[in-house]
Amino acid sequence: MKINSSRLQSHFEAMSLIGKIGETGTCRPAHTELEKQGFELAASWMKAAGMTTHIDNFGNLIGRLEGKNPQLPVLMMGSHLDSQPYGGRFDGVAGVLCAIEVVATLTENNIVPERPIEVISFADEEGWRFNKGLFGSRGILGKLEAGELERADKDGITRGQALTAFGCDITQFKASEYKEGSIFCFLELHIEQGPVLDLAHKPIGVVSGISGPIWWTVKLKGMAGHTGSVPMPIRKDALVGAAEIIVAVNEIANQIPGAPTVGSVGTITVFPASRNIIPEEVVFTIDLRDIDLDRRNRYEKQLRDRIEAITQKHQLTYSISGDTKSDPRYCADWIKEIIHNECKALELDAPELMSGPFHDALALSYACDYGMIFVRCKDGISHNPLEYSSNEDLSLGANVMLGTVVQILKK
């Protein structure tokens, strides 16, 4: 029993046209008409695979293949269809389309599972529009935080407004939450988004765990003044302070050569943003991740200490807003063993590797056992229109997932 490789390829090609930028890029923001178009297309494939579909109040697209025993906890698969603003065709999409293809293959082979199977395209995994990700996957578990609906995008649209326009009822979140124990396990296929598999010439990898991310929004406040008249020694230049902190993030993350720690500043806004006014306020984001929790905690303290010292040096005030914080989460050994065995059955030498990026599986790990399959991406490029995984590799990944699902259904 194998998946239909040509059908899978045609699904990728069709989805890539929605929100297409340039020749190979994608911009499909969460809770937008473009994402709705993607949902409608994916839902048509879910229905063809024998699933019923709906969009819940968090903005998740859910396809369900009923089991012989509908009361059993569900086997859940999925990822996301929203993209980065300057993204590629495979990030998130691979996990949704390969999961749909797995269910289609089961249906075509007249396999009725004992337990229900659900395929979900989770809402706003990426997190760039409202500066907080994993919205849909946290939502179904009742893990949203205060103030999330008030977060606004660059155009001043709040998440609450965007969800309402999307057709969701933000007063009925509880109705869309999953009861404790109702999810048996979660599987996610994803492109690696890194170079390990490509450098090793291996098409498939078995994920060991996901690094724990910290996302901060930092605001520095100084004093505006004329750049031509305020003497350098008495300036309170918020941008100079921000520049030193940005360098500090890089230095802290690079302390141990070869360690998987990563740290970045990805966005920065300056006020009043005039060439001849000293910057009074700077707001920027920090992303710090590590699979080693003790090391990440040490680095977090170091970074807080450096921010305190740098702002004192430049006579600035500051605030740190925590947007995301999660411990590293490790895949279930029993699911990893099944995935490894399925790779061997397909004569694949699949290495085990960690995930630096977070995924919806990170949120689901707090509710059930989870496993992940990585598919090689060319040169490790992701969050970029150059992102590429071959249909051959994606089909291999889908077949590994198919075999894994068949084995899990025996549990």
Side-chain angles (χ1 to χ4, degrees):
M1 184 169 62
K2 301 289 184 186
I3 63 99
N4 185 326
S5 179
S6 60
R7 177 173 58 198
L8 182 63
Q9 182 174 6
S10 72
H11 287 176
F12 274 99
E13 290 171 352
M15 188 61 71
S16 73
L17 300 177
I18 300 175
K20 182 178 180 180
I21 54 173
E23 288 301 309
T24 60
T26 301
C27 179
R28 200 162 44 235
H31 315 326
T32 63
E33 183 58 34
L34 284 171
E35 187 184 48
K36 180 68 72 69
Q37 290 175 28
F39 279 9
E40 289 169 352
L41 186 58
S44 72
W45 298 329
M46 288 175 170
K47 290 170 184 172
M51 289 181 268
T52 58
T53 70
H54 74 283
I55 296 174
D56 72 5
N57 291 314
F58 300 108
N60 299 312
L61 170 65
I62 302 174
R64 181 180 174 97
L65 182 71
E66 200 54 85
K68 295 176 185 175
N69 187 345
Q71 304 308 312
L72 284 177
V74 302
L75 191 171
M76 185 180 286
M77 297 183 284
S79 195
H80 60 97
L81 291 175
D82 68 302
S83 80
Q84 287 287 328
Y86 186 65
R89 297 167 286 168
F90 303 96
D91 175 7
V93 177
V96 177
L97 300 192
C98 288
I100 293 172
E101 181 58 33
V102 165
V103 174
T105 305
L106 294 176
T107 299
E108 288 170 348
N109 285 272
N110 300 312
I111 295 174
V112 181
E114 190 68 29
R115 65 177 69 251
I117 297 176
E118 290 187 353
V119 176
I120 304 186
S121 176
F122 289 106
D124 196 9
E125 187 269 359
E126 292 291 3
W128 62 269
R129 185 179 176 192
F130 299 101
N131 264 326
K132 193 167 182 71
L134 304 181
F135 180 79
S137 48
R138 288 184 300 111
I140 65 168
L141 304 177
K143 300 292 187 183
L144 298 183
E145 300 168 8
E148 290 206 38
L149 294 182
E150 287 70 51
R151 286 176 170 268
D153 67 10
K154 63 180 178 60
D155 298 315
I157 299 169
T158 67
R159 191 190 292 277
Q161 291 170 331
L163 282 170
T164 300
F166 201 70
C168 303
D169 186 344
I170 60 175
T171 70
Q172 296 296 317
F173 280 169
K174 206 71 184 172
S176 295
E177 291 179 9
Y178 282 62
K179 292 182 174 62
E180 187 175 351
S182 65
I183 305 170
F184 180 63
C185 67
F186 179 70
L187 289 177
E188 183 168 3
L189 178 146
H190 208 283
I191 62 169
E192 183 197 349
Q193 300 182 283
V196 175
L197 293 175
D198 197 41
L199 290 172
H201 305 292
K202 309 290 186 185
I204 304 298
V206 182
V207 179
S208 58
I210 301 173
S211 287
I214 293 176
W215 280 11
W216 289 346
T217 297
V218 181
K219 179 185 290 187
L220 306 184
K221 190 71 178 287
M223 176 69 74
H226 198 299
T227 57
S229 58
V230 180
M232 297 299 287
I234 64 170
R235 292 188 178 194
K236 299 178 182 179
D237 189 326
L239 187 54
V240 172
E244 290 191 20
I245 293 169
I246 292 167
V247 171
V249 171
N250 193 63
E251 290 173 348
I252 288 168
N254 272 303
Q255 286 178 85
I256 301 176
T261 317
V262 291
S264 303
V265 171
T267 69
I268 183 167
T269 58
V270 180
F271 175 84
S274 168
R275 69 188 302 159
N276 60 350
I277 300 178
I278 297 165
E280 178 168 288
E281 183 178 280
V282 177
V283 179
F284 58 97
T285 56
I286 292 178
D287 183 332
L288 179 67
R289 311 184 194 207
D290 206 319
I291 195 71
D292 184 317
L293 182 60
D294 289 339
R295 183 168 59 217
R296 194 202 68 186
N297 288 343
R298 289 199 310 274
Y299 287 2
E300 179 186 4
K301 184 179 185 308
Q302 289 177 19
L303 187 52
R304 287 185 182 275
D305 291 344
R306 291 285 290 275
I307 291 172
E308 176 69 27
I310 290 166
T311 52
Q312 283 190 13
K313 171 184 171 185
H314 295 287
Q315 303 177 74
L316 308 173
T317 59
Y318 73 93
S319 65
I320 299 174
S321 165
D323 300 315
T324 293
K325 186 171 185 177
S326 175
D327 293 349
R329 304 295 292 176
Y330 296 93
C331 295
D333 288 337
W334 69 272
I335 300 179
K336 283 196 303 181
E337 183 179 359
I338 292 173
I339 298 172
H340 276 299
N341 289 338
E342 291 305 312
C343 288
K344 290 174 186 172
L346 293 170
E347 299 182 341
L348 295 171
D349 178 15
E352 201 164 297
L353 66 164
M354 57 154 279
S355 174
F358 63 70
H359 307 283
D360 290 300
L362 179 67
L364 269 296
S365 73
Y366 288 91
C368 63
D369 286 349
Y370 84 100
M372 286 193 69
I373 298 162
F374 267 172
V375 175
R376 167 174 57 188
C377 61
K378 189 176 186 300
D379 300 322
I381 296 172
S382 184
H383 285 191
N384 184 309
L386 296 177
E387 176 182 278
Y388 178 76
S389 288
S390 70
N391 189 56
E392 291 76 17
D393 286 358
L394 290 163
S395 296
L396 279 173
N399 276 315
V400 171
M401 196 173 199
L402 173 63
T404 301
V405 166
V406 169
Q407 295 304 315
I408 289 175
L409 288 173
K410 296 176 181 178
K411 298 290 184 181

